[in-house]
Amino acid sequence: MVFWFSFLGVLFLDQLSKWYIRSNFALGQSLPVAGRWLQIVYRENAGAAFGILAGARWLFVAISIVSVALAVVIYPKVQHLGWYVVMALGLVAGGALGNVIDRVHHVTVTDFICVRYFPAVFNVADSAIVVG
């Protein structure tokens, strides 16, 4: 259950947060959350991290779908390694699917979390993938 909870939880939070941003912010609009240290900044990203390979949409979709499928297949085989391994797998799979949904439905990925001194704007899915 830990895998499915983390997988579906990330997917839900990611899609809900992106929907909120797209519905309530203009592209490029920003809102300070904690001064200049943390801001919400609405951006669209056609590439991978830092905009790398912009325009390679279907490559990212294919890689992500394979990753999610592999996570679902190996999940039962790694349960014995502990809840943290299973949760990490769910975080990565949920984040990957969240960004796939954006790429398929919106062509680009919605990013909005901006942390001072970090060179890119990111989203819930990206965070889950990194933490996982």
Side-chain angles (χ1 to χ4, degrees):
M1 288 305 278
V2 171
F3 172 81
W4 293 109
F5 182 76
S6 59
F7 175 80
L8 295 174
V10 164
L11 185 59
F12 176 76
L13 290 174
D14 177 65
Q15 291 300 297
L16 179 66
S17 62
K18 290 173 179 175
W19 167 82
Y20 180 82
I21 295 299
R22 285 189 302 267
S23 298
N24 294 286
F25 286 78
L27 192 59
Q29 182 180 353
S30 66
L31 174 70
V33 175
R36 292 176 43 197
W37 292 98
L38 177 64
Q39 296 181 25
I40 294 174
V41 179
Y42 178 19
R43 301 261 168 84
E44 292 293 336
N45 184 359
F50 311 106
I52 296 169
L53 294 174
R57 173 184 176 202
W58 294 109
L59 173 65
F60 296 128
V61 168
I63 290 170
S64 296
I65 288 173
V66 168
S67 299
V68 172
L70 282 173
V72 170
V73 168
I74 68 169
Y75 146 67
K77 299 173 187 190
V78 298
Q79 288 187 69
H80 70 281
L81 297 175
W83 66 268
Y84 47 90
V85 173
V86 175
M87 179 180 279
L89 194 60
L91 292 173
V92 171
L97 188 56
N99 283 339
V100 163
I101 290 169
D102 269 24
R103 291 184 196 285
V104 170
H105 289 286
H106 304 286
V107 181
T108 60
V109 174
T110 300
D111 290 329
F112 58 91
I113 302 169
C114 181
V115 177
R116 187 171 183 186
Y117 300 121
F118 189 74
V121 179
F122 54 97
N123 59 45
V124 173
D126 298 336
S127 301
I129 291 167
V130 169
V131 170

